[in-house]
Amino acid sequence: MNNTTLGMDNQDRVGTVEKYRKGYEQHGYSPKALGWDKGRQDIRFKVLLSFFECRGKSILDIGCGFGDLNRVLHRKIGDSYKYLGIDLVGELIDEGRCQYPQENIRFLNSDFLEYPFTETFDIVVASGIFNHKFASGNNDFFVERVLKKAWNLCTEGFAFDFLSDKVDYRHEHTYHNNPEHILRLAYGLSRNVVLRNDYMPFEFCLHVGKDDTFDRTDAIFKTHKRNTEQV
């Protein structure tokens, strides 16, 4: 299979790694190294995690950067979860291992789409991995492949955030996804879908639940009943 069918070819992979290496060289351990310069990183993390009961669960974080999702997880539930962060950039992974040395936290320096996982995860999340506009690859193919692979790896569901194309500005280096298109992809996987655009005007978060079963008697998702203790 040609790498371009995955949406990210070798040129884009090298460019992505170099971009974040330079950011790390310039800013060190800081959200600015990852392109987050407005102090809103924790808002994104909290929205991603809001769809799940994370206590006792296994979590895969795609494009994890420094693994700072653990900061929010630890504040919420201590160390009662298992975490694997995967990222292309070795320097970020090395820093993440220094910042989060707990036994329940692991890091992997690899390409998510190419890595041959031998385990599944309760929850899969990603923040910011779809925001970088490729120089030669196809961003839409990349999004679709990531969603499909994440779907196959999760047992409860996944949550990803995106830059929206419903904006009044654009940068040359950023890629803005269309919410309606992302919803169509999501409904190809499950009926249990949430799209949130209520926390930032130019970003949205997609949650797709693995269990979309419901009782015919009332047509309510069984996951909703469990989450609201209506079982």
Side-chain angles (χ1 to χ4, degrees):
M1 179 177 291
N2 190 298
N3 277 341
T4 57
T5 63
L6 300 179
M8 179 185 284
D9 61 16
N10 289 331
Q11 179 183 348
D12 287 314
R13 186 179 293 105
V14 170
T16 299
V17 171
E18 286 304 309
K19 172 187 176 181
Y20 289 107
R21 278 180 176 165
K22 289 179 180 178
Y24 181 58
E25 289 174 1
Q26 181 178 359
H27 300 289
Y29 175 56
S30 166
K32 291 183 178 180
L34 308 178
W36 305 121
D37 60 355
K38 297 181 180 178
R40 301 180 299 186
Q41 190 181 42
D42 280 9
I43 294 175
R44 298 180 181 94
F45 290 157
K46 289 176 182 177
V47 171
L48 288 171
L49 296 175
S50 68
F51 300 103
F52 307 103
E53 170 52 63
C54 297
R55 190 178 301 276
K57 302 298 175 60
S58 59
I59 300 168
L60 174 64
D61 184 5
I62 306 169
C64 65
F66 301 122
D68 286 330
L69 182 72
N70 288 287
R71 182 177 62 243
V72 176
L73 281 164
H74 183 77
R75 284 201 299 259
K76 188 175 182 180
I77 58 174
D79 292 329
S80 59
Y81 64 95
K82 293 182 179 179
Y83 172 95
L84 175 63
I86 183 170
D87 201 285
L88 285 169
V89 187
E91 289 85 345
L92 305 185
I93 290 294
D94 291 341
E95 183 67 48
R97 290 182 176 128
C98 292
Q99 295 295 328
Y100 303 100
Q102 296 94 320
E103 291 185 0
N104 63 307
I105 296 173
R106 296 181 293 145
F107 289 95
L108 177 63
N109 179 204
S110 189
D111 185 324
F112 168 72
L113 285 175
E114 293 189 353
Y115 187 77
F117 290 91
T118 59
E119 59 186 313
T120 58
F121 304 85
D122 297 311
I123 298 162
V124 178
V125 298
S127 179
I129 68 170
F130 303 124
N131 298 352
H132 180 61
K133 188 175 183 179
F134 294 154
S136 56
N138 188 304
N139 284 87
D140 290 332
F141 285 167
F142 177 70
V143 170
E144 186 172 354
R145 291 301 297 260
V146 170
L147 264 61
K148 287 182 177 179
K149 184 165 184 178
W151 182 249
N152 290 331
L153 288 174
C154 71
T155 60
E156 292 191 11
F158 64 71
F160 299 151
D161 63 25
F162 302 80
L163 287 178
S164 174
D165 67 355
K166 313 296 185 184
V167 297
D168 54 16
Y169 75 98
R170 286 178 187 260
H171 298 298
E172 290 185 3
H173 65 278
T174 55
Y175 189 77
H176 296 258
N177 278 276
N178 177 267
E180 291 91 341
H181 172 67
I182 297 300
L183 273 176
R184 284 194 293 272
L185 295 178
Y187 280 120
L189 300 172
S190 174
R191 293 170 293 197
N192 191 346
V193 172
V194 178
L195 189 145
R196 285 190 60 178
N197 195 181
D198 63 340
Y199 58 104
M200 295 183 195
F202 305 134
E203 300 184 23
F204 65 92
C205 180
L206 174 76
H207 166 255
V208 184
K210 198 81 173 185
D211 184 358
D212 64 355
T213 59
F214 60 93
D215 291 320
R216 291 287 177 183
T217 55
D218 55 20
I220 298 174
F221 282 128
K222 292 180 180 178
T223 53
H224 178 77
K225 288 187 175 183
R226 289 195 295 270
N227 293 338
T228 56
E229 298 182 348
Q230 295 179 10
V231 292

